[in-house]
Amino acid sequence: MLESLGDRGCAENPKYYSFMAVMSLIATAMLVQVSHLIKLGLMVLVVTATGAVNIYSWRDIYDLYDFIQFSSDRTSMVASKYLMTIMIIVMMISFYFFARHLERQSRTLFLWKIGVHDQKERVFEMRRWNEALVTNMLPEHVAKHFLGTKMRDEELYSQSYDETGVMFASIPNFSDFYTEESINNGGIECLRILNEIISDFDS
């Protein structure tokens, strides 16, 4: 009866169920967006259940398997139920550290992507500010010339006119007005007046 049972399958294939537990550990380690602590808990459940089945529920099957496979030499043999349980524990530890490594890499990559996105946003914002500054400092057609084309640093902008005029102007007592703190408001009023005068001449 024992030999027929060993020939049929249960006594020949008890390790396959442990290999299925190893596949379960692999599937648990490859779960995406799951904390490593949850993975560790699932792995411990799988290992505990498999170890309990190997050592207690299927001990007769493993003993029969060992008897059939190692009937000639039983001096140095360690019971297969313990070997398979130890193997599953070692695999669990290995897969846990592998899953932990993957989680750290994924987190680092995610933070790197966020950093790159923030840097792109800052570069875009800085470019917009620079364009606004150039537009405010230069005439509109000159600003469009420099902002709209790829200019080399040594290239200069110039236009030719048949007739030109140069005007020199000064504001009487402007230095006294600039130093008058009570009405100048820290230089803001001077800047406002100069801006109005320059804007009027530009118009």
Side-chain angles (χ1 to χ4, degrees):
M1 180 68 179
L2 290 178
E3 290 181 0
S4 63
L5 182 61
D7 293 337
R8 290 196 178 206
C10 288
E12 290 182 356
N13 304 322
K15 293 183 178 181
Y16 293 161
Y17 298 100
S18 297
F19 296 153
M20 291 176 60
V22 173
M23 296 299 294
S24 300
L25 292 177
I26 295 175
T28 303
M30 300 307 295
L31 290 176
V32 182
Q33 296 181 351
V34 177
S35 173
H36 66 97
L37 295 177
I38 298 177
K39 293 179 182 179
L40 179 61
L42 294 175
M43 290 180 181
V44 170
L45 288 177
V46 172
V47 171
T48 303
T50 305
V53 169
N54 288 344
I55 296 175
Y56 297 104
S57 298
W58 290 353
R59 61 178 180 269
D60 296 333
I61 298 176
Y62 273 103
D63 292 339
L64 180 60
Y65 173 81
D66 292 338
F67 178 79
I68 296 173
Q69 297 293 327
F70 305 101
S71 58
S72 61
D73 182 17
R74 300 184 58 86
T75 57
S76 61
M77 184 192 68
V78 179
S80 297
K81 56 187 176 183
Y82 299 121
L83 286 177
M84 296 306 296
T85 303
I86 293 173
M87 180 202 70
I88 293 174
I89 293 174
V90 172
M91 296 295 289
M92 180 199 74
I93 297 173
S94 302
F95 288 141
Y96 169 73
F97 283 106
F98 176 72
R100 181 64 173 158
H101 177 69
L102 287 181
E103 182 178 354
R104 287 178 179 174
Q105 280 193 335
S106 299
R107 184 176 299 174
T108 302
L109 181 61
F110 176 73
L111 295 177
W112 179 77
K113 288 182 178 180
I114 292 179
V116 170
H117 182 267
D118 293 340
Q119 289 180 0
K120 287 183 178 180
E121 290 292 333
R122 287 196 296 268
V123 169
F124 177 78
E125 190 70 17
M126 186 63 66
R127 180 178 179 182
R128 193 171 61 86
W129 289 349
N130 291 336
E131 290 179 355
L133 180 62
V134 171
T135 304
N136 289 330
M137 292 175 58
L138 299 176
E140 183 178 357
H141 64 282
V142 180
K144 288 182 178 180
H145 174 78
F146 283 106
L147 295 176
T149 58
K150 295 181 179 179
M151 302 293 296
R152 296 181 180 177
D153 295 336
E154 64 272 11
E155 290 185 2
L156 301 178
Y157 173 81
S158 62
Q159 283 187 343
S160 177
Y161 295 94
D162 295 334
E163 296 181 357
T164 58
V166 180
M167 181 184 69
F168 297 91
S170 63
I171 302 176
N173 300 324
F174 183 78
S175 59
D176 297 335
F177 174 69
Y178 183 80
T179 57
E180 188 66 33
E181 293 290 339
S182 60
I183 60 176
N184 190 21
N185 194 15
I188 296 178
E189 289 297 324
C190 289
L191 294 178
R192 185 184 62 80
I193 292 175
L194 289 176
N195 183 63
E196 290 180 357
I197 295 173
I198 295 174
S199 298
D200 291 340
F201 274 111
D202 287 342
S203 299

